[in-house]
Amino acid sequence: MAELRFDGRVAIVTGAGGGLGRSHALTLAARGAKVVVNDLGGSAHGDGQSASAADKVVEEIRALGGEAVANYDSVENGQAIVQSALDAFGTVDIVINNAGILRDVSFQKMTQADWDIVQRVHLNGSMSVSHAAWPIMREKGYGRIVMTTSAAGIYGNFGQANYCAAKLGILGLAHCLAEEGRGKNIFVNTIAPIAASRLTETIMPPALLENLKPEAVSPLVAWLCHEECEETKGLFEVGAGFIAKLRWERTAGHAFPLGRAFNMDDVARKWGAVTDFSESTHPTNTNEALAPILSAVSNPSLGGNEFIDLDTATKTELLLESSYDERDLALYALGIGAARDPLDKDELKYVYELGGDFLALPTWGAMPQLNAMLAAAKSGSLVLPGMSFGLDRLLHGEQYMELKKPLPPNARLKHVFKFKEAFDKDPNAVITFAISTQDESGEEIAYNEMTSFVKGAGGWGGDRGPSGESNLPPDRAPDAVIEEQTDANQTLLYRLSGDWNPLHADPDFARAFGFDKPILHGMCTFGYCGRHVIKAFCGNDGRYFKSIKVRFAKSVFPGDTLVTRMWKESDTRILFETTVKERNEVVIKNAAVELYKELPAAGTDTAARTPAAAETSTVDQGITLEDVFTAIKSYVAMKPDLVSQTRTVFQFHFHKPESNWFIDLKNGDGNVGSGIADKPDVTLELDTELAPVLFGGELAEVQKLFFGGKLKISGNVMASNKLAILAGMDKKLVEEARAGRVAAAGHSAQAAPDATAKAAADESVTLADVFAGVARFIAGQPELVKQTNTVFQFSFHNPDTHWFIDLKHGDGAAGAGTAEKADVTLELDTALAPILFGGNIGEVQKLFFSGKLKVHGNVMASNKLSVLSGMDRQLVEDAGAKRLASGADTEAPAAAATPPRKAAAPAIFAALAQRLAEGTVKPALTQLLQFHLREPQASWLVDFSVSPAQVREEVSEQAAAVFTLNDQDLKTLAQGGSDVRQLYQRGALRVDGDARLAPGLTFLSGLL
């Protein structure tokens, strides 16, 4: 880096006869600057006058080969000082306002003269010299000014009221000049130095002064004066080699809404927020400083009181997180009365996760957000935006829940709470929060509205809300009625789903609130009602359930009998009302359920998405910022006179998502594009979604953004009005830009159809890599065959592939395809393979017990896979690298060519038919049995209702029991390697119909 110099520049340094001023002058002169050395030659207190101080410094500069002249005028006569520069050097480029005096005395003893002289020298003097140089700098389009403030001015210091006031005044002057000079390339900065000088020698000990050399301040001053330094409006502390920039910091504060009177008591209550710097901003100009006030003016108060602040509530969101799994769903289903008959298979699907058809009851969609809120309340961390009341005032009044798709069996969720509305039911209030529940991919899976009655929180004069009732049942007999008694311990069971409120469990607590005993949770009754509608109108299939809205009317007690009367308004809308039979009281009213006409898609499991699917994107068909600025670029090209009319560079910073764009209507023929302009005159900052307002041509709407704090403008604020010159732009240019972009993207997609659809080779680890690594491991460990003596078969789904590990024959082997005689078969989704081979036996057991890993054949033999735990992971990575180097595809090389497994079922049922004919098999069954086989698929009937019993390959709707299992498991049964009970317990055998017939399948054993 070349040495930074000031050749050809002219600098004025005031107070340069000694100390800091002398050091500044010598530093600039040494780098080629021509220097006017100004010093009145008076004392540190402003008395007397002498030319010797300035002359001495000039002599030093000249002795070193520099150019300098002396000036002896007071800084109050800035015109004379600047004239010295003009007379000697013809111009002025740099002004360093350094001169100063002290008149330290306590405020009580300070005279007017003490005050006035300090103001005149420091503040008036800085203004006078800068003012005289200002026209020259403006005319030449260049200038650098450095002001000198003090830590005393910034922070205050005892006995220096006059000095502190003057020094902070200098900072204010500097900030103003920085704003006025920015557009003319005049940069103004301020230093707060700590150095040994005649002003500090009376207030600091000699040992400290020895280390506070002026020479440790001047390098910063020189840099701020250099043409390459573009810093302006900066404030810097400097001394002893330390340099730091300061900035203003402001707390988030508290805004008392306009239109609502407040008093000193209200201020006292909010003092913590007023003084809390945990959330702060750093305003750099008056626009940013005024933004909160302008926002308050532009957004009048919505109302509220000490309990409910509607203004805060509408601006704030609450984010909570939770998760659930199959156990939570099953426990919830039991808590709302499901599966009272444990043999009812239509109910078992809501409580038994290994049954193959496990479902979440849809009313669970209201529970995760509610449980997240209650968990936060229990820990003391719950703060509902704008709400300042305890749960003791709160009564759950209404609940609306909508499912966007059937709920998954397990999920990690985020819940975004937003205030929706509040009604003043003086003396009480009704508030509603809207809650969006999203899964890990950000997709909304449920939406809830929770309406609560808040005792004593009304009276702010707000809207009382609607007075009529909705969802009233028609005046006719119901289309369906379901009556169901709750259990005496229903509250104790339901509370395990998350609602810990002691009102529902503690008799003493309940009596304290005026109840004879604990009351049933309103959301438990809500769940009962949802179940009743599903049973009556959905064939007990909760996946058709879209939404439910209820109003809680009265309390229900454990043991009460709920009677739900339902009216079918349409194929997709059911009205209902629920009463307690024993007291004939309506407990749920104004209630309705909406149904889906067709089953909605359950959605894609984000955990199982392939990398290609996750990265696939489509062309944005809407108007983008790229389209807008492309159109503006075309408009500027058509209107070259815009540059001479505007003479402004506009910079745009967009957020959500982040992007930067510029419009240069100042240089050359103009330019428009993405990125950061070199020297923008004005910068506009706003969210991307507000761009249509900014470029919409409506000045009033843009002003609303500005005064509402949504559009921030820095730099030359007035220049932003020049954007109005774009109002004449034809909107068709934007549409043409959009069409061109979309067409170009479509052409690119056609030119390279395989670019995103399929990579040349998948760089992630594949099953081919895993089994290639296992094969190499086996080759290096021949003793594994003797230790293990097992053939493992793997059947993967989504996509379907087959792989084996043979640790029983020869030297062992591993690869794609189907083994001849597998001892054990493991069946699971491809996405779960990393867990199976991850070496964590606990995680593998979770897969098995959750039904995600099915094991057929010799179940205990599956444990022998642990012999692979010693395999070096590098073997898999080496296999992947080898595959990539060869350009091989990610699919199993031999899987597609592997012939289908030979079905065992034909041989088994042929053997059964023969033995039945011979009379060697005489089961005690008299029913028709249906067998559905998988892998490969087939259906067989065994008819014991006729004599002799018959076996045939067909399907019948008259079967007393239907058994569904894999062909391999049927083979295991026929070989005697397993029994029916074992298969059923691990989910490998499904029984529909009369499950009591399952133990009679012993006739299959020994058929092979």
Side-chain angles (χ1 to χ4, degrees):
M1 179 178 177
E3 181 183 64
L4 298 175
R5 295 189 57 79
F6 294 93
D7 297 317
R9 297 296 187 191
V10 176
I12 296 173
V13 183
T14 67
L20 284 169
R22 170 183 172 274
S23 178
H24 300 338
L26 291 172
T27 298
L28 294 184
R31 296 278 181 142
K34 302 170 183 177
V35 182
V36 176
V37 179
N38 162 262
D39 201 295
L40 182 64
S43 70
H45 299 291
D47 303 320
Q49 183 173 356
S50 170
S52 61
D55 290 341
K56 183 178 179 182
V57 175
V58 169
E59 290 173 6
E60 289 184 79
I61 292 173
R62 290 175 177 172
L64 295 171
E67 294 184 64
V69 296
N71 176 273
Y72 319 113
D73 291 292
S74 166
V75 288
E76 292 182 81
N77 189 3
Q79 192 63 51
I81 298 173
V82 170
Q83 190 60 48
S84 293
L86 296 178
D87 292 343
F89 306 118
T91 189
V92 59
D93 300 289
I94 299 166
V95 171
I96 301 174
N97 290 303
N98 172 75
I101 62 169
L102 287 177
R103 286 286 183 93
D104 292 350
V105 61
S106 68
F107 190 59
Q108 181 177 345
K109 298 178 180 178
M110 185 174 294
T111 65
Q112 189 66 46
D114 292 329
W115 176 272
D116 290 342
I117 192 172
V118 171
Q119 303 303 313
R120 293 204 319 267
V121 173
H122 287 275
L123 182 55
N124 294 359
S126 297
M127 172 271 173
S128 180
V129 179
S130 301
H131 189 261
W134 195 256
I136 301 169
M137 293 179 173
R138 276 180 57 86
E139 179 65 26
K140 66 194 301 183
Y142 180 85
R144 298 291 186 266
I145 298 176
V146 176
M147 303 285 193
T148 307
T149 186
S150 167
I154 299 170
Y155 306 111
N157 195 38
F158 184 88
Q160 291 188 306
N162 48 5
Y163 182 73
C164 293
K167 284 300 188 183
L168 196 55
I170 289 172
L171 180 61
L173 172 63
H175 282 171
C176 179
L177 296 186
E179 291 293 348
E180 291 192 21
R182 192 191 304 268
K184 295 295 184 179
N185 197 26
I186 304 173
F187 296 161
V188 185
N189 291 283
T190 308
I191 64 168
I194 299 292
S197 70
R198 64 179 186 172
L199 298 188
T200 56
E201 63 186 9
T202 60
I203 58 175
M204 292 184 177
L208 178 59
L209 292 173
E210 184 66 27
N211 294 297
L212 297 178
K213 304 291 187 183
E215 290 80 6
V217 174
S218 296
L220 169 63
V221 173
W223 167 243
L224 294 175
C225 292
H226 197 272
E227 62 189 34
E228 290 190 14
C229 179
E230 297 190 355
E231 181 76 32
T232 192
K233 207 178 179 180
L235 170 62
F236 300 89
E237 288 183 323
V238 56
F242 172 77
I243 302 174
K245 186 175 182 179
L246 276 71
R247 64 180 179 182
W248 295 107
E249 183 177 24
R250 177 174 61 191
T251 69
H254 176 79
F256 291 100
L258 294 179
R260 283 169 51 189
F262 67 96
N263 55 38
M264 63 180 295
D265 299 315
D266 297 316
V267 174
R269 274 192 293 270
K270 294 297 183 180
W271 196 242
V274 171
T275 59
D276 181 9
F277 278 95
S278 60
E279 292 186 16
S280 61
T281 58
H282 302 89
T284 61
N285 54 54
T286 53
N287 295 322
E288 294 177 6
L290 290 174
I293 296 172
L294 293 175
S295 178
V297 172
S298 303
N299 300 281
S301 172
L302 298 176
N305 52 30
E306 60 183 296
F307 301 110
I308 299 175
D309 185 338
L310 298 182
D311 299 284
T312 299
T314 55
K315 299 173 186 174
T316 313
E317 294 180 357
L318 173 66
L319 176 64
L320 297 176
E321 297 183 358
S322 70
S323 63
Y324 69 85
D325 57 21
E326 293 85 347
R327 179 180 180 278
D328 296 308
L329 295 179
L331 189 59
Y332 170 74
L334 292 171
I336 61 172
R340 286 178 177 274
D341 178 1
L343 299 182
D344 183 350
K345 282 196 168 290
D346 209 29
E347 284 286 292
L348 199 61
K349 64 188 175 189
Y350 293 117
V351 297
Y352 181 51
E353 73 281 7
L354 299 181
D357 56 353
F358 182 68
L359 292 176
L361 274 166
T363 49
W364 170 260
M367 298 301 293
Q369 52 90 15
L370 187 61
N371 287 344
M373 188 179 74
L374 288 169
K378 191 173 186 179
S379 67
S381 61
L382 178 66
V383 180
L384 286 172
M387 306 294 121
S388 301
F389 50 80
L391 293 180
D392 57 315
R393 291 180 178 267
L394 198 68
L395 292 175
H396 197 168
E398 295 181 1
Q399 183 71 36
Y400 172 76
M401 182 215 70
E402 179 181 350
L403 296 180
K404 305 301 183 178
K405 62 181 182 179
L407 296 169
N410 54 75
R412 296 187 63 85
L413 304 172
K414 291 183 179 180
H415 314 283
V416 181
F417 289 70
K418 292 183 179 179
F419 171 81
K420 183 184 179 186
E421 60 188 8
F423 298 119
D424 186 355
K425 305 284 188 180
D426 190 15
N428 307 306
V430 173
I431 59 170
T432 299
F433 273 89
I435 307 101
S436 173
T437 294
Q438 303 160 8
D439 63 17
E440 288 185 283
S441 71
E443 181 181 1
E444 185 179 51
I445 64 171
Y447 171 80
N448 281 270
E449 288 182 4
M450 184 175 61
T451 300
S452 299
F453 183 83
V454 188
K455 294 181 289 186
W460 69 84
D463 184 5
R464 286 190 59 84
S467 56
E469 292 187 303
S470 60
N471 298 329
L472 293 174
D475 187 16
R476 62 177 175 83
D479 297 305
V481 178
I482 290 182
E483 180 177 311
E484 187 173 12
Q485 185 175 14
T486 62
D487 289 332
N489 66 346
Q490 198 75 52
T491 59
L492 300 179
L493 178 58
Y494 178 82
R495 72 185 299 272
L496 299 180
S497 287
D499 192 338
W500 49 265
N501 190 339
L503 181 65
H504 306 294
D506 189 329
D508 293 335
F509 192 92
R511 280 192 290 270
F513 278 80
F515 298 102
D516 294 335
K517 58 182 179 180
I519 63 174
L520 192 64
H521 307 70
M523 291 301 291
C524 180
T525 307
F526 173 88
Y528 267 89
C529 296
R531 282 183 47 246
H532 292 170
V533 174
I534 294 168
K535 272 186 172 292
F537 295 97
C538 302
N540 207 34
D541 189 341
R543 293 175 297 173
Y544 285 97
F545 197 97
K546 180 181 181 182
S547 69
I548 179 172
K549 184 171 186 178
V550 306
R551 175 176 291 178
F552 302 106
K554 285 200 172 183
S555 299
V556 178
F557 293 93
D560 283 349
T561 302
L562 298 174
V563 181
T564 302
R565 295 175 173 83
M566 294 161 274
W567 292 265
K568 184 177 179 180
E569 191 176 76
S570 71
D571 288 342
T572 59
R573 183 172 171 83
I574 311 298
L575 301 178
F576 70 92
E577 187 174 82
T578 301
T579 61
V580 168
K581 182 178 181 180
E582 291 79 2
R583 297 185 298 281
N584 195 30
E585 290 181 342
V586 176
V587 293
I588 296 288
K589 65 177 186 176
N590 303 123
V593 165
E594 289 186 323
L595 305 174
Y596 284 108
K597 267 191 174 181
E598 298 178 355
L599 285 180
T604 303
D605 183 358
T606 56
R609 288 178 185 165
T610 63
E615 292 171 8
T616 300
S617 62
T618 58
V619 179
D620 189 343
Q621 299 292 323
I623 292 175
T624 67
L625 284 176
E626 179 183 351
D627 303 332
V628 172
F629 282 92
T630 299
I632 294 174
K633 187 171 186 177
S634 299
Y635 183 64
V636 171
M638 292 186 292
K639 298 277 189 178
D641 54 324
L642 291 178
V643 175
S644 59
Q645 294 174 21
T646 312
R647 306 298 303 167
T648 302
V649 178
F650 304 89
Q651 179 70 56
F652 302 87
H653 293 319
F654 292 101
H655 302 297
K656 301 177 184 178
E658 303 291 321
S659 65
N660 296 292
W661 300 82
F662 67 87
I663 300 175
D664 184 347
L665 294 178
K666 187 176 187 178
N667 302 296
D669 296 327
N671 193 16
V672 179
S674 64
I676 306 293
D678 187 24
K679 292 182 179 180
D681 296 287
V682 58
T683 299
L684 298 92
E685 184 177 358
L686 68 162
D687 283 352
T688 301
E689 66 179 5
L690 300 176
V693 180
L694 180 64
F695 296 110
E698 294 290 336
L699 181 58
E701 294 301 315
V702 177
Q703 290 175 335
K704 283 183 181 179
L705 292 184
F706 177 70
F707 290 116
K710 296 179 180 179
L711 168 63
K712 297 180 179 179
I713 304 178
S714 55
N716 187 347
V717 178
M718 298 306 296
S720 63
N721 292 326
K722 296 182 180 180
L723 271 178
I725 203 166
L726 299 178
M729 186 178 80
D730 190 339
K731 298 299 187 293
K732 288 182 179 179
L733 291 175
V734 177
E735 178 55 35
E736 290 172 359
R738 184 202 69 81
R741 173 181 54 79
V742 172
H747 176 73
S748 297
Q750 292 173 1
D754 292 335
T756 56
K758 182 178 180 181
D762 189 346
E763 296 188 9
S764 62
V765 173
T766 67
L767 285 175
D769 303 333
V770 171
F771 282 90
V774 171
R776 287 191 60 191
F777 180 65
I778 293 172
Q781 304 280 336
E783 68 277 6
L784 289 180
V785 174
K786 185 178 180 180
Q787 294 173 12
T788 311
N789 195 32
T790 302
V791 178
F792 304 89
Q793 181 67 54
F794 301 86
S795 295
F796 292 100
H797 301 298
N798 301 319
D800 289 341
T801 57
H802 299 283
W803 302 80
F804 69 88
I805 299 176
D806 184 346
L807 292 177
K808 189 173 187 177
H809 304 102
D811 295 327
T818 303
E820 180 63 30
K821 291 184 179 180
D823 296 288
V824 58
T825 299
L826 297 92
E827 184 181 359
L828 69 162
D829 274 357
T830 303
L832 301 176
I835 299 177
L836 182 63
F837 296 107
N840 188 327
I841 187 65
E843 294 301 315
V844 176
Q845 288 175 340
K846 284 183 181 179
L847 292 183
F848 176 72
F849 288 116
S850 66
K852 296 178 180 178
L853 168 63
K854 295 181 179 179
V855 184
H856 315 292
N858 186 346
V859 178
M860 297 305 296
S862 64
N863 292 326
K864 295 182 181 181
L865 270 178
S866 60
V867 298
L868 300 179
S869 61
M871 186 177 82
D872 189 346
R873 179 69 180 175
Q874 189 63 43
L875 291 174
V876 177
E877 295 180 5
D878 290 346
K882 184 177 180 181
R883 172 178 55 80
L884 290 172
S886 67
D889 200 352
T890 61
E891 298 298 326
T898 301
R901 173 190 292 167
K902 184 179 179 181
I908 294 170
F909 286 105
L912 175 62
Q914 181 178 348
R915 295 192 185 187
L916 287 171
E918 295 172 349
T920 55
V921 173
K922 297 180 180 180
L925 298 174
T926 59
Q927 292 87 1
L928 177 63
L929 307 183
Q930 176 80 65
F931 291 84
H932 290 315
L933 286 309
R934 298 186 301 245
E935 295 187 4
Q937 291 186 347
S939 295
W940 290 82
L941 279 177
V942 180
D943 190 353
F944 292 111
S945 66
V946 297
S947 182
Q950 297 181 5
V951 179
R952 55 189 181 271
E953 188 174 3
E954 63 180 68
V955 176
S956 173
E957 298 293 333
Q958 307 303 317
V962 179
F963 304 98
T964 304
L965 70 165
N966 279 353
D967 184 86
Q968 184 70 22
D969 288 319
L970 178 66
K971 180 180 179 180
T972 303
L973 276 175
Q975 293 173 332
S978 183
D979 60 36
V980 172
R981 181 178 57 84
Q982 290 173 335
L983 291 179
Y984 185 76
Q985 285 180 344
R986 71 167 188 261
L989 171 65
R990 174 174 173 173
V991 183
D992 295 295
D994 191 347
R996 294 172 296 179
L997 300 179
L1001 296 185
T1002 53
F1003 64 81
L1004 293 170
S1005 183
L1007 291 176
L1008 288 182

